[in-house]
Amino acid sequence: MEIEFPNGKNLRLLIGDITKIRVDAMVNAANSALAGGGGVDGAIHRAGGSAIMRDLDVIRQQQGGCPTGSAVATTAGSLPAQYVFHAVGPIYRDGRQGEAENLASCYSTCLKLAEERGARSVSFPSISTGAYGYPMEEAARIALRTIGEQLREQDAGVREVLLVLYDQGSYDVHSRAAQALFADRIK
C-alpha cells in the first residue's frame, strides 16, 4: 500500500524483513539499555554486525541508556542503510501511563534524526507491538498519524517512509488504520 502526500512524499506499508530493504536510515525497536535483544533488535544486530554495538557502547559510556520515547543514531554496519536509529518504545501497561505520547515520540524523534542527517528514506518496524505488548491496532494508528503529520509538515528531507511489517496480520491491521486515516491519499 502506498500513501501519497501533496508535497511528493510517500508512506508505504509492506511485509518483509527490515534488514534487507535499502534505505538511508533504518529504525530499530531498541531497549532503554541499548544492549541488544530479541525480535527486530536482535535481527538488526545480527544482520548489521559488531560495528553497531561498538557505536552503542560509546553512546552508553557517554549518556548511559536511552529514555523511552527517544532514539539514538549509529552507523548501520553491514545493513543496506547509512544509519540505524535505535528507538525505545514504551512498555504497554494500561494506556494511561503516557504510552501513546512516548510511542508517537519514537516516530517523530527518528524522523527528526533523519532530517538532521539528510536521510531521504526511512524504514520503521511496528515499535512496541512485540515483547512490549502495545496493542497493534492502537500502535498502528499512532504510528501512521505521527508519520503522516511529519511528512505533511516537512518541506525538504525525508521523501519516503516505509513501514515494514513482519507478517500478513500486522500488515492487515496497519492497512485498515491507513485506510481510515488516509483514504483519499491511497494509491
Side-chain angles (χ1 to χ4, degrees):
M1 171 181 288
E2 188 166 340
I3 302 151
E4 287 189 343
F5 293 88
N7 55 8
K9 297 182 180 196
N10 65 61
L11 168 59
R12 288 185 19 213
L13 277 63
L14 60 128
I15 300 170
D17 178 347
I18 197 168
T19 68
K20 298 188 183 317
I21 298 170
R22 182 166 298 285
V23 288
D24 295 330
M26 184 179 299
V27 176
N28 178 24
N31 56 58
S32 61
L34 301 173
V40 171
D41 197 14
I44 285 176
H45 281 278
R46 283 189 300 277
S50 60
I52 295 170
M53 190 54 79
R54 282 194 301 272
D55 285 356
L56 289 173
D57 289 342
V58 171
I59 291 168
R60 281 194 309 274
Q61 288 173 350
Q62 292 172 344
Q63 69 183 45
C66 181
T68 300
S70 193
V72 297
T74 66
T75 58
S78 301
L79 292 164
Q82 292 177 289
Y83 306 102
V84 175
F85 301 149
H86 304 267
V88 180
I91 297 170
Y92 189 84
R93 291 179 178 33
D94 60 6
R96 295 187 301 265
Q97 309 299 317
E99 294 99 321
E101 294 82 3
N102 280 319
L103 185 58
S105 180
C106 285
Y107 289 95
S108 59
T109 299
C110 287
L111 289 169
K112 182 178 181 209
L113 288 172
E115 289 287 328
E116 290 169 355
R117 286 160 178 76
R120 296 179 61 80
S121 58
V122 180
S123 64
F124 284 94
S126 181
I127 298 171
S128 285
T129 59
Y132 284 10
Y134 213 109
M136 182 79 67
E137 293 81 8
E138 184 181 343
R141 285 190 301 273
I142 292 167
L144 290 163
R145 185 175 35 242
T146 304
I147 293 167
E149 288 170 359
Q150 296 286 315
L151 289 177
R152 276 192 295 269
E153 290 173 10
Q154 298 169 343
D155 289 328
V158 176
R159 308 297 300 164
E160 181 174 49
V161 174
L162 306 172
L163 195 49
V164 182
L165 304 156
Y166 62 91
D167 65 13
Q168 187 67 49
S170 300
Y171 177 87
D172 291 345
V173 168
H174 285 77
S175 178
R176 285 190 299 273
Q179 288 172 6
L181 289 167
F182 308 113
D184 59 330
R185 300 187 190 281
I186 295 174
K187 197 170 117 171

